[in-house]
Amino acid sequence: MSDQSQQLPKGTTVYQVSGAQIIEECPRAVRTLSDEPIKLFGKWTYEDVVIRDPGLRRYMCLKPMVLPHTEGRNQRRRFGKDRMPIVERLMNALLHPGKNAGKKHKVYGVVKRSFDIIYLSTGKNPIQVLVDAIVNSAPREEVTRVIYGGIAYPVAVDVTPARRLDTAIRWIAEGARGCSHNNPKPLEECLAEEIMAAAAGDLKSYAVKHRDDAERVAASAR
């Protein structure tokens, strides 16, 4: 084991994929005392979930939990949100100031029912569909402003993996809220449709559309 891997947090998994070193800081080999897999909401397993984007593997936490609720234990730790389960981060993104502000139990039910809709519509593991949606929605480039001599110039920059993950989750949550606003369709159906469309790379998805717009503007500012 190298010196770099020895300095990683406890529970970190390091393995090789096509010659590249992959690091996952959230342990996934967590099982019950009877050696049974832990399933999200008692239904969905984490064992067969694959993160196809190597840049996001270290930052997307897939630690098995029945109820994704960490009670803020990582909020005082630097980059602690990287150790927060990805489903909980989606739930927190839906706690937008307004109608659903602070109602985490309500959002818990929304996410749980949306996963049931995803499974009935696709027949796939909803956790895998969510991971694919985040991977397809994460922007790789964006534009920043650089000021020279009092004049601001747009410059294309690469997006860090942590920001890519934050942006993708925020866009998915915004797309679901925008779909359900002034619409008889409930939030769980809008969330399920947004996740499925993003997982398929469909431009009807709010998150995928915004990713394409951001990358197109960045390409013109190179």
Side-chain angles (χ1 to χ4, degrees):
M1 184 178 293
S2 63
D3 295 337
Q4 181 182 2
S5 60
Q6 290 178 357
Q7 298 175 359
L8 294 174
K10 183 179 179 181
T12 301
T13 302
V14 182
Y15 55 93
Q16 299 287 331
V17 174
S18 300
Q21 187 183 58
I22 303 300
I23 302 174
E24 288 189 6
E25 296 187 7
C26 287
R28 296 177 64 178
V30 181
R31 305 177 74 88
T32 63
L33 295 177
S34 58
D35 199 27
E36 295 181 357
I38 297 177
K39 297 182 179 181
L40 177 67
F41 306 135
K43 297 180 179 180
W44 319 116
T45 180
Y46 293 83
E47 292 183 340
D48 56 348
V49 178
V50 178
I51 304 174
R52 295 181 174 85
D53 192 328
L56 296 179
R57 287 196 181 109
R58 184 172 182 176
Y59 301 89
M60 195 177 299
C61 183
L62 293 174
K63 180 180 179 180
M65 299 181 70
V66 176
L67 175 60
H69 183 51
T70 56
E71 301 178 358
R73 69 188 63 171
N74 297 314
Q75 65 179 356
R76 295 185 179 274
R77 181 183 302 171
R78 188 182 184 188
F79 304 118
K81 60 184 177 182
D82 297 338
R83 301 179 67 85
M84 181 184 296
I86 193 66
V87 180
E88 183 180 4
R89 295 187 65 176
L90 175 64
M91 294 168 59
N92 291 343
L94 292 171
L95 294 174
H96 190 71
K99 184 176 181 181
N100 294 327
K103 300 178 182 178
K104 193 161 187 178
H105 189 271
K106 178 178 180 180
V107 173
Y108 163 81
V110 168
V111 174
K112 184 178 180 180
R113 290 190 294 271
S114 69
F115 276 23
D116 291 335
I117 296 173
I118 291 173
Y119 176 74
L120 294 175
S121 301
T122 64
K124 300 179 181 178
N125 187 347
I127 304 176
Q128 181 66 67
V129 179
L130 173 62
V131 168
D132 293 341
I134 293 174
V135 169
N136 291 339
S137 304
R140 298 175 180 85
E141 282 186 312
E142 63 181 359
V143 173
T144 187
R145 296 177 64 194
V146 178
I147 299 178
Y148 287 110
I151 301 175
Y153 298 92
V155 177
V157 294
D158 294 333
V159 188
T160 63
R163 179 170 172 80
R164 290 182 63 203
L165 190 58
D166 294 342
T167 306
I169 295 174
R170 184 178 76 246
W171 283 342
I172 291 174
E174 288 178 358
R177 285 197 305 267
C179 169
S180 63
H181 183 66
N182 290 335
N183 192 337
K185 185 182 296 185
L187 179 59
E188 49 265 29
E189 290 188 17
C190 291
L191 180 60
E193 292 177 358
E194 176 66 28
I195 292 174
M196 288 187 291
D202 192 346
L203 287 178
K204 295 180 180 178
S205 167
Y206 178 94
V208 174
K209 182 178 181 298
H210 275 65
R211 182 211 65 187
D212 285 354
D213 292 344
E215 291 182 348
R216 184 175 64 252
V217 173
S220 63
R222 289 176 184 171

